[in-house]
């Protein structure tokens, strides 16, 4: 894969990820309040459920991507996330929201971990920092588009 193609692929993924994240981040609290779930409870959904599933799997994801292949593990993360997001409107209690948010955050963690490894594999050491920094500039661009 050539460097320009890889750069644009990662940039587009960063933009799309920010758009989906911002939409959920803005809409979900209002949705939870409308369902009668208190601010304290959805704080737990965003903090506790997310923290547990983000910390624990990071240790193993890199090893799994070495064994099974980065594309397969990354695709699995994208699949899990794309399945979890449409469930939000059908959830009715705090436990369901916590589980679904945890599943989505787990998928995000899988994607982020493997994406970092793919970037390290794609861009040689001399240009890696420069390209990763440029890709990082697309994250605020994605947030702006989502807004």
């Amino acid at each position: 894969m050539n460097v320009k193609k890889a750069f644009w692929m990662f940039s587009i993924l960063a933009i799309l990820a920010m758009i989906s994240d911002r939409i959920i981040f803005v809409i979900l609290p209002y949705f939870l309040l409308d369902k009668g779930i208190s601010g304290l409870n959805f704080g737990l959904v965003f903090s506790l459920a997310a923290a547990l599933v983000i910390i624990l799997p990071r240790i193993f994801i890199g090893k799994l991507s070495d064994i099974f292949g980065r594309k397969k593990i990354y695709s699995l993360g994208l699949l899990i996330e794309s399945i979890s997001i449409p469930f939000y409107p059908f959830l009715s209690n705090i436990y369901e929201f916590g589980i679904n948010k945890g599943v989505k955050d787990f998928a995000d963690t899988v994607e982020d971990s493997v994406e970092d490894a793919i970037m390290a594999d794609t861009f040689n050491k001399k240009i890696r920092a420069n390209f990763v920094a440029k890709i990082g500039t697309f994250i605020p661009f994605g947030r702006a588009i989502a807004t």
Side-chain angles (χ1 to χ4, degrees), residues 6-20 74 78 111-112 115 118-119 135 138-139 142:
F7 170 76
W8 285 110
M9 181 188 72
F10 286 120
S11 298
I12 290 168
L13 283 172
I15 290 169
L16 294 176
M18 276 302 105
I19 290 171
S20 69
Y74 189 73
L78 290 171
E111 293 166 32
D112 290 345
E115 192 173 296
I118 292 172
M119 281 190 216
I135 290 168
F138 283 94
I139 293 172

Side-chain angles (χ1 to χ4, degrees), residues 70-80 110-111 114:
R70 302 202 196 295
K71 289 180 185 176
K72 287 180 184 177
I73 301 296
Y74 189 73
S75 297
L76 178 66
L78 290 171
L79 176 67
I80 293 169
V110 169
E111 293 166 32
V114 177

Side-chain angles (χ1 to χ4, degrees), residues 39-89:
L40 176 64
N41 285 337
F42 71 77
L44 289 173
V45 167
F46 276 96
S47 300
L48 186 62
L52 290 176
V53 297
I54 289 173
I55 293 169
L56 297 176
R58 276 252 185 209
I59 301 164
F60 305 106
I61 294 169
K63 291 286 184 198
L64 288 175
S65 71
D66 289 340
I67 295 168
F68 295 107
R70 302 202 196 295
K71 289 180 185 176
K72 287 180 184 177
I73 301 296
Y74 189 73
S75 297
L76 178 66
L78 290 171
L79 176 67
I80 293 169
E81 183 177 12
S82 67
I83 290 170
S84 70
I85 290 173
F87 276 106
Y88 280 112

Side-chain angles (χ1 to χ4, degrees), residues 113-126:
S113 299
V114 177
E115 192 173 296
D116 293 345
I118 292 172
M119 281 190 216
D121 293 345
T122 304
F123 304 115
N124 70 41
K125 210 169 196 167
K126 290 181 181 179

